[in-house]
Amino acid sequence: MAKVTMVDAVTMALAHELRNDKDVVILGEDVGINGGVFRATNGLAQEFGEDRVIDTPLAEAMIAGLTVGMATQGMKPIAEAQFMGFIYPMFEQIVCHAARFRNRTRGRLTCPLVIRAPYGGGIHAPEHHSESTEAMFAHIPGLRVVAPSSPSRAYGLLLAAIRNPDPVLFLEPKRVYHLNKEEVEDDGEEYPLDMCFVDREGTDVTLVTWGAMMKETIEAADKLATEGISAEIIDVATISPLDMDTIHESVEKTGRCVIIQEAARHCSLSSEIAANLADQGLYNLMAPVKRVTGYDTIMPLFKMEKKYMPTADRIIDQVRKVMEVS
Amino acid sequence: MTTVASFEINYLQYLSPNGDLVGDKKPNIATNYEHLKSIYELMVMTRTFDTKAVALQRTGKMGTYASCLGHEAVHIGIGAAMEESDVFAPMYREYGAQFYRGVKMSEVLNYWGGDERGSNFSGPQHDFPWCVPIATQCMHAAGAALAFKLRGEQRAAVSVVGDGGSSKGDFLEAINAASAFQLPMVLMIVNNQWAISVPRKKQSAGRTLAQKGVAGGLPCIQVDGNDYIAVYTAVKSALKRAKEGKGASVIEAITYRLSDHTTADDASRYRPDDEVENAREFEPIKRMRKYLTNQGQWNEQLENQLIATCKAEVDEAVEEYLNVPKPEITDMFDYMYADLPHDLEAQRRYALEQEEKSNG
Ligand SMILES: Cc1ncc(C[n+]2csc(CCOP(=O)(O)OP(=O)(O)O)c2C)c(N)n1
């Protein structure tokens, strides 16, 4: 079995579905001969032809609108937004149309499409290349928002996203595109959507996170373990619809919860998880829910981006706070 | 200096406001009286429907409605030129085209009556429903056309945008997509002179709106949008071209919105009455009736019969609409996703409980 990075796993999943389903096509800026600026579509145009891996004119609203049109007519388009910071021209098409066609037409027209976007900071990119605005999309009924945290999850979840009969926004944490290699078998096995993964079992505190922040969260959990604090780690994976059951179950066991996200705090996914714990799981809690997040500021340019993003130390700080209450 | 590109925009008209055939090369359809009579009948039916729909709104039996008064020739021209397998991406007032394609009057009423089931209409199941965010539908048509092209299907897509909508980036991006991918599609601009209260001249200083397609290298033409024969001919030939793999076209149909923008609008606030009065001289139904009458194909007796038939059919559609069973509260949830996500199941149960409580 090959050891691959996350970006390789994305390519593997795309190639698998291009091979598997003739209705699948990829479209976006530079996805063809160049293989995408992150090389996520590397070699696919050469293998499958420029009719399956399509370089489009530079127009994001158009790319999204085309995918909507194609999807309603029975194709399975996968669009690439080159960076999540450039997804906003697509927003109207995603919100007003992709997310709504099934409901609007009572199921007559549907949008089985995927929009992939590299997201998040930490790669020293220019302005608009580093934000994590998943909550904007998670707020939209009718959409799925998925963010893998490892190569195998990128492979399995992307396959599931492509095969899903509804629109999926697939957010790829680009900071960890090349971070770790993992053995991923190209067997076409999909991973379940709409489900959190419990990555590590623990008894003292539940750490909830997704995407690239998994890295700092594991670091924090490792350090805490040496101090005798046992952390359970949950990878949310599907940001919307949100699997609160798994989170509640874990908190029932640990009694404590810290949520970690790179995104700004205000009205974010961590807000939703915390509110849900207060509403439905208050009596399981032994301490207030804590959040470790980006600040409610614009993601700074790269000299300061590390200061913006949660670190293992910031996570440990909050875990200590919730552990103080017994 | 040398000229590297230049363009001209032609204007197509066959049927003058007096009901005379003009121009030298007449299309066959101009003397296909059976066809023209059936079109005339659908135009009158559409207008009868429209008048009734406005009345339903005024009497509180329907929500806001966008009238198609004055647009009958252009809308039905589009519908008649298309084949069933083509895909139609309308905005919100092209009922004439949709009726031609098999959408039922009661379905249109249901939609404006506030029921999503109206968008699950009869007619070609691949057609797009009404699209409220201006011009976004142009890209859906482009996407559909790209799908047809990739699959090698002999089909084309038609989108409609208004004079206001032609200002939107979406429209221009769709032109560009059609151009870059050589898509089998027709981009129709139904220029009815007003985008709510903003007149055509404030949308663009360009002499025509059709010329917006020139930037993409597409053939562009203006047609008299109150002349069914011209619209039909232009759209038909653009579709033929599209299906022969020769790419997309832009057609600007010049017409006039004789009504308010919607029933929520009062056009007298911004539009001079004499302009509207003048436009009535050019309206499409009068013109077609004159032509058919002049050709000995139409008379008062046929007209009276038609009026009675239209009234009866529209009344029947209204009955059907008024008697449509209420949607279920659960419908709100059941079409969100193919499979109801777990977190929505609880909300669905809760909504159902609330509903049962309120029903006592
Ligand atoms: C993106 C967007 N902006 C604004 C509106 C509100 N609005 C609805 S119709 C309309 C005018 C459209 O005029 P035009 O495109 O000329 O078409 P017409 O209604 O005259 O047929 C406006 C501004 C909208 N529906 N969508």
Side-chain angles (χ1 to χ4, degrees):
Chain A
M1 216 187 315
K3 275 198 151 195
V4 298
T5 61
M6 181 185 283
V7 74
D8 294 336
V10 166
T11 317
M12 255 166 67
L14 293 172
H16 193 279
E17 279 316 84
L18 281 165
R19 218 168 281 131
N20 185 43
D21 183 346
K22 66 176 181 6
D23 285 327
V24 168
V25 292
I26 291 172
L27 61 166
E29 293 154 9
D30 306 295
V31 296
I33 204 75
N34 192 35
V37 292
F38 287 102
R39 304 285 173 265
T41 52
N42 205 20
L44 300 181
Q46 289 83 350
E47 183 176 351
F48 297 97
E50 291 177 24
D51 274 357
R52 305 282 310 280
V53 185
I54 303 166
D55 272 327
T56 65
L58 203 166
E60 285 79 12
M62 182 212 70
I63 295 170
L66 287 177
T67 60
V68 170
M70 295 169 91
T72 57
Q73 302 302 318
M75 296 197 77
K76 296 207 122 201
I78 306 168
E80 178 175 294
Q82 204 156 62
F83 286 86
M84 196 188 193
F86 307 124
I87 209 171
Y88 308 112
M90 295 182 165
F91 200 63
E92 181 179 28
Q93 285 290 345
I94 296 172
V95 173
C96 293
H97 299 302
R100 299 176 71 116
F101 258 114
R102 177 184 292 281
N103 188 61
R104 178 187 290 152
T105 64
R106 305 281 95 166
R108 181 170 62 81
L109 293 181
T110 61
C111 274
L113 60 85
V114 176
I115 296 180
R116 298 177 35 247
Y119 88 110
I123 63 156
H124 284 217
E127 194 181 359
H128 303 296
H129 287 66
S130 303
E131 287 88 342
S132 301
T133 50
E134 64 271 22
M136 289 175 61
F137 295 91
H139 187 66
I140 306 304
L143 269 188
R144 266 191 180 71
V145 183
V146 177
S149 64
S150 69
S152 59
R153 266 173 218 165
Y155 178 81
L157 291 172
L158 182 51
L159 284 180
I162 301 168
R163 294 169 192 169
N164 192 275
D166 290 310
V168 181
L169 185 63
F170 194 80
L171 299 176
E172 296 166 11
K174 58 182 176 290
R175 178 161 64 96
V176 297
Y177 258 157
H178 298 284
L179 186 73
N180 290 322
K181 285 195 170 186
E182 223 179 33
E183 291 199 340
V184 181
E185 196 174 345
D186 190 9
D187 55 4
E189 288 277 322
E190 59 184 70
Y191 279 13
L193 298 174
D194 305 355
M195 248 189 64
C196 297
F197 296 88
V198 179
D199 261 43
R200 180 184 297 190
E201 305 223 359
T203 50
D204 297 329
V205 59
T206 301
L207 305 181
V208 181
T209 193
W210 55 95
M213 284 319 298
M214 199 65 169
K215 173 176 178 288
E216 285 70 22
T217 303
I218 290 171
E219 267 171 47
D222 286 347
K223 267 198 199 160
L224 289 164
T226 65
E227 298 172 16
I229 297 172
S230 155
E232 178 142 311
I233 300 179
I234 293 183
D235 173 10
V236 171
T238 300
I239 289 168
S240 181
L242 182 60
D243 166 23
M244 273 307 299
D245 287 357
T246 301
I247 298 172
H248 280 301
E249 241 168 65
S250 172
V251 174
E252 207 172 335
K253 184 170 65 171
T254 62
R256 297 177 176 86
C257 184
V258 176
I259 309 158
I260 302 109
Q261 70 180 22
E262 206 177 292
R265 173 172 304 199
H266 192 71
C267 290
S268 63
L269 187 64
S270 71
S271 316
E272 177 58 31
I273 296 171
N276 205 303
L277 285 170
D279 185 8
Q280 305 286 323
L282 188 65
Y283 301 119
N284 295 327
L285 286 167
M286 290 193 283
V289 173
K290 290 287 174 193
R291 292 189 280 164
V292 187
T293 72
Y295 301 109
D296 288 330
T297 64
I298 290 169
M299 173 67 149
L301 292 182
F302 60 79
K303 278 193 180 158
M304 291 270 281
E305 71 178 341
K306 281 224 170 86
K307 305 260 181 215
Y308 175 94
M309 296 197 304
T311 57
D313 285 343
R314 273 165 69 186
I315 299 167
I316 290 167
D317 245 20
Q318 294 304 317
V319 171
R320 291 213 172 107
K321 280 204 181 120
V322 299
M323 292 305 298
E324 274 166 18
V325 192
S326 59
Chain B
M1 227 165 27
T2 51
T3 302
V4 289
S6 63
F7 72 95
E8 60 182 28
I9 302 293
N10 294 315
Y11 178 79
L12 189 67
Q13 185 194 52
Y14 291 113
L15 198 53
S16 81
N18 295 329
D20 300 326
L21 277 186
V22 294
D24 18 70
K25 261 179 74 186
K26 315 249 174 357
N28 290 339
I29 189 151
T31 48
N32 184 344
Y33 299 121
E34 285 318 303
H35 175 78
L36 291 185
K37 274 195 282 189
S38 75
I39 292 298
Y40 177 72
E41 286 164 7
L42 183 54
M43 283 163 89
V44 175
M45 180 72 78
T46 303
R47 188 167 289 188
T48 312
F49 166 84
D50 194 70
T51 310
K52 187 72 183 184
V54 171
L56 285 172
Q57 190 280 332
R58 299 272 185 249
T59 52
K61 294 196 180 102
M62 205 171 66
T64 301
Y65 169 78
S67 162
C68 64
L69 187 69
H71 304 76
E72 295 85 354
V74 57
H75 293 166
I76 296 170
I78 295 165
M82 292 176 70
E83 286 179 76
E84 182 170 343
S85 59
D86 296 332
V87 75
F88 186 46
M91 32 197 280
Y92 38 74
R93 58 170 106 251
E94 291 78 21
Y95 320 115
Q98 295 179 304
F99 292 155
Y100 195 98
R101 288 176 74 67
V103 175
K104 287 160 57 179
M105 291 189 279
S106 59
E107 292 166 335
V108 180
L109 297 175
N110 212 17
Y111 172 75
W112 292 107
D115 191 328
E116 279 86 359
R117 289 175 297 179
S119 286
N120 184 14
F121 46 58
S122 313
Q125 294 295 291
H126 50 258
D127 273 10
F128 290 93
W130 299 284
C131 184
V132 172
I134 299 291
T136 51
Q137 71 279 6
C138 300
M139 243 104 67
H140 305 156
L146 180 55
F148 302 156
K149 180 168 175 164
L150 291 173
R151 290 170 156 175
E153 293 173 349
Q154 279 280 304
R155 300 166 67 188
V158 179
S159 68
V160 176
V161 77
D163 39 305
S166 75
S167 297
K168 264 201 89 192
D170 305 58
F171 175 67
L172 302 164
E173 289 186 29
I175 286 178
N176 199 60
S179 155
F181 294 120
Q182 280 248 0
L183 296 181
M185 77 180 289
V186 180
L187 292 118
M188 288 292 307
I189 305 165
V190 175
N191 175 1
N192 64 9
Q193 311 306 326
W194 291 89
I196 310 187
S197 67
V198 182
R200 151 68 181 89
K201 67 174 189 303
K202 284 199 180 168
Q203 296 295 340
S204 160
R207 171 69 187 81
T208 73
L209 297 175
Q211 73 203 51
K212 295 198 177 204
V214 170
L218 307 186
C220 306
I221 187 174
Q222 260 192 354
V223 298
D224 182 341
N226 293 339
D227 167 1
Y228 168 80
I229 300 170
V231 175
Y232 175 90
T233 307
V235 180
K236 194 87 188 161
S237 91
L239 281 168
K240 180 165 177 285
R241 200 176 171 278
K243 288 181 218 174
E244 282 167 356
K246 293 180 185 155
S249 312
V250 175
I251 301 174
E252 177 187 5
I254 309 290
T255 182
Y256 193 86
R257 190 191 83 208
L258 288 170
S259 63
D260 295 328
H261 169 69
T262 64
T263 50
D265 174 49
D266 173 9
S268 70
R269 287 167 56 85
Y270 53 81
R271 198 164 67 168
D273 288 345
D274 56 349
E275 181 185 301
V276 185
E277 275 322 300
N278 184 48
R280 285 188 198 285
E281 296 301 306
F282 297 89
E283 69 99 346
I285 291 188
K286 214 189 246 178
R287 181 182 309 200
M288 182 77 108
R289 184 167 55 236
K290 274 187 194 162
Y291 176 60
L292 289 174
T293 306
N294 292 346
Q295 303 307 307
Q297 299 292 329
W298 200 253
N299 56 41
E300 214 178 307
Q301 193 201 341
L302 288 172
E303 180 74 13
N304 290 336
Q305 273 171 14
L306 175 61
I307 289 170
T309 309
C310 290
K311 191 178 171 313
E313 276 192 38
V314 170
D315 284 349
E316 201 176 302
V318 171
E319 267 315 284
E320 199 177 322
Y321 156 65
L322 293 174
N323 290 319
V324 75
K326 278 213 181 96
E328 302 289 332
I329 181 93
T330 44
D331 279 13
M332 204 153 72
F333 298 91
D334 292 347
Y335 298 96
M336 289 302 310
Y337 298 92
D339 297 309
L340 194 68
H342 189 69
D343 68 335
L344 268 183
E345 263 167 38
Q347 293 185 26
R348 185 183 186 275
R349 265 198 309 277
Y350 174 79
L352 199 55
E353 272 165 32
Q354 293 299 305
E355 182 74 354
E356 278 159 8
K357 242 191 239 169
S358 71
N359 289 342

